[in-house]
Amino acid sequence: MKNYIKNILRVGDEKMIYQKYAEVLLRLHESYHQLVLMKFNNVEDFNTDYWLTQIDEQFRDKILFTRYQALDNTYYFKPQFKFYDSKKYGVFFIEYRSYTGKISKNIFNNTVKYISYLKRTFYDEKLEEKLSKLVKPNSNNQFWNAKQSLFDFYVSTGNRYFNSYGGDATHYNLILDLLEHSNYINCLRIWRGDDIIGLIEDDDEREALTTLSLLMFEQEVNYGRYEFQQNTNFFKDESKKKYYRSRDMLMGFINMAFSDTKLFNDYPHWEKANNQKAYPHFGKGEKLGFKNLNDSYLVYFTEFNKEKKYKDVKSLMEVNNYLFEFRSFVRNSGQNPHFNGLTL
């Protein structure tokens, strides 16, 4: 019998789990944004004790620095924050990466490709108009999307998904894990932001729900309509953007999987990793996207629209001063270094 958690504090009575995660990420950014951009000529040049003192004392026993070697034989270091220690699979942590992660490189490369496309396709005034929309007015050529991925981080779940599903903690592998070890109600509680993980007795379910909470937090931070977030097809219909939370996308697919597993497995739009299903999306092209999704799939998402059910459930960016703090760091941070020197 799978464990159903009931009768605990609801959202509003205590902090959402995403608020707790945000406080960690914001402190990692505040303390280590400059560090992740630095290169060290020798390993010995990195002083662990010094960098530990840069973060609040309450976080220090959860911090570990990971060393990477660059192609030019210099070194760089990234901080990890431990959230959970699995007896069987190892440590679950987030690694703060900011502009050194894959997302920032992808954003830059996509911008370069788009500029090239515009120059091939348009001429004279039309080209100038479209190019001008890529940069901020009076900004000395600073691109609108040059601060996306400022808070980027990587989620690691030890060896759980490699051992059990032959790969990373992708959305697909996570949903298989949830189908096997948890239930829809507990997934819904995590989506709401209820901090129920410490109340789960079964190790497998606790670890699956921990993974779910971390990946939903990643969606709340990295996808949306703010300057530091990436756009997504889930928000393709601008008039409805404010009525969905970023984590609703993953919750919709979980809803589909628990309601009709065959329909979920037959879903046609997947980004693949190692030739396996990894991350679902809503198709590509003008006639695709979330608002044009087939009704048989769409129904699993629309119930999370804030005009309908769950009106009391907020996105992280709607809670107290969290958005203000994220945006304060954005205002005081430089742009993605990949964009330095890029001109129209």
Side-chain angles (χ1 to χ4, degrees), residues 184-235:
Y184 181 73
I185 297 298
N186 285 351
C187 292
L188 193 67
R189 298 302 300 273
I190 292 295
W191 167 81
R192 287 184 58 92
D194 296 343
D195 193 356
I196 65 173
I197 292 172
L199 303 175
I200 301 291
E201 296 180 357
D202 179 75
D203 287 348
D204 283 317
E205 182 175 20
R206 185 167 59 250
E207 292 170 11
L209 292 175
T210 297
T211 305
L212 174 60
S213 70
L214 289 171
L215 292 185
M216 282 191 166
F217 174 62
E218 189 269 338
Q219 288 188 308
E220 288 288 284
V221 172
N222 281 338
Y223 296 93
R225 62 185 184 274
Y226 300 110
E227 185 177 7
F228 56 92
Q229 296 177 313
Q230 299 175 79
N231 291 321
T232 164
N233 277 337
F234 190 52
F235 294 137

Side-chain angles (χ1 to χ4, degrees), residues 70-331:
L71 294 176
D72 60 1
N73 290 322
T74 58
Y75 299 90
Y76 53 101
F77 295 80
K78 297 178 184 179
Q80 298 175 353
F81 184 91
K82 180 175 75 172
F83 282 103
Y84 174 80
D85 197 351
S86 167
K87 299 174 185 176
K88 189 173 181 180
Y89 299 107
V91 175
F92 286 35
F93 62 83
I94 65 170
E95 181 177 274
Y96 169 68
R97 294 182 172 183
S98 188
Y99 293 141
T100 65
K102 291 181 180 179
I103 291 178
S104 71
K105 295 177 183 177
N106 291 340
I107 291 168
F108 171 75
N109 290 335
N110 289 338
T111 302
V112 171
K113 290 177 183 177
Y114 185 60
I115 291 172
S116 177
Y117 160 76
L118 292 178
K119 290 182 175 179
R120 291 196 313 268
T121 308
F122 300 96
Y123 301 92
D124 302 328
E125 292 85 0
K126 194 70 173 178
L127 173 61
E128 185 176 345
E129 175 190 347
K130 288 186 174 294
L131 288 175
S132 68
K133 292 180 179 179
L134 299 179
V135 299
K136 298 179 181 179
N138 307 315
S139 66
N140 193 24
N141 210 42
Q142 286 195 0
F143 289 77
W144 279 109
N145 61 347
K147 290 189 178 181
Q148 290 179 10
S149 80
L150 178 61
F151 303 102
D152 186 30
F153 60 92
Y154 169 72
V155 174
S156 175
T157 53
N159 294 320
R160 180 175 182 83
Y161 290 89
F162 180 80
N163 287 7
S164 301
Y165 301 97
D168 292 331
T170 63
H171 289 173
Y172 183 69
N173 287 340
L174 167 63
I175 293 174
L176 294 183
D177 197 12
L178 293 167
L179 286 171
E180 184 175 359
H181 296 294
S182 191
N183 57 74
Y184 181 73
I185 297 298
N186 285 351
C187 292
L188 193 67
R189 298 302 300 273
I190 292 295
W191 167 81
R192 287 184 58 92
D194 296 343
D195 193 356
I196 65 173
I197 292 172
L199 303 175
I200 301 291
E201 296 180 357
D202 179 75
D203 287 348
D204 283 317
E205 182 175 20
R206 185 167 59 250
E207 292 170 11
L209 292 175
T210 297
T211 305
L212 174 60
S213 70
L214 289 171
L215 292 185
M216 282 191 166
F217 174 62
E218 189 269 338
Q219 288 188 308
E220 288 288 284
V221 172
N222 281 338
Y223 296 93
R225 62 185 184 274
Y226 300 110
E227 185 177 7
F228 56 92
Q229 296 177 313
Q230 299 175 79
N231 291 321
T232 164
N233 277 337
F234 190 52
F235 294 137
K236 202 68 173 178
D237 185 349
E238 293 293 321
S239 66
K240 298 296 183 184
K241 182 183 290 186
K242 66 181 179 180
Y243 299 121
Y244 285 99
R245 312 153 199 84
S246 298
R247 64 185 186 272
D248 295 355
M249 187 277 282
L250 182 51
M251 193 63 223
F253 284 106
I254 291 170
N255 187 11
M256 185 192 305
F258 275 101
S259 300
D260 189 334
T261 305
K262 183 179 185 305
L263 185 73
F264 169 74
N265 283 322
D266 290 342
Y267 182 77
H269 306 301
W270 289 92
E271 177 186 334
K272 293 190 175 182
N274 298 321
N275 207 32
Q276 296 179 333
K277 294 177 183 177
Y279 301 99
H281 56 84
F282 301 110
K284 300 176 181 179
E286 292 184 2
K287 294 184 178 180
L288 297 174
F290 175 67
K291 66 179 180 179
N292 296 312
L293 200 63
N294 185 287
D295 285 345
S296 63
Y297 300 118
L298 192 63
V299 64
Y300 296 107
F301 300 89
T302 51
E303 73 171 87
F304 300 107
N305 187 304
K306 292 175 68 175
E307 290 182 304
K308 299 182 179 180
K309 297 169 65 176
Y310 311 115
K311 292 183 179 180
D312 62 322
V313 180
K314 296 182 178 181
S315 74
L316 172 64
M317 300 305 165
E318 293 175 318
V319 177
N320 297 332
N321 294 318
Y322 287 89
L323 175 60
F324 176 81
E325 190 165 1
F326 276 102
R327 297 182 89 173
S328 295
F329 281 123
V330 171
R331 285 194 297 271

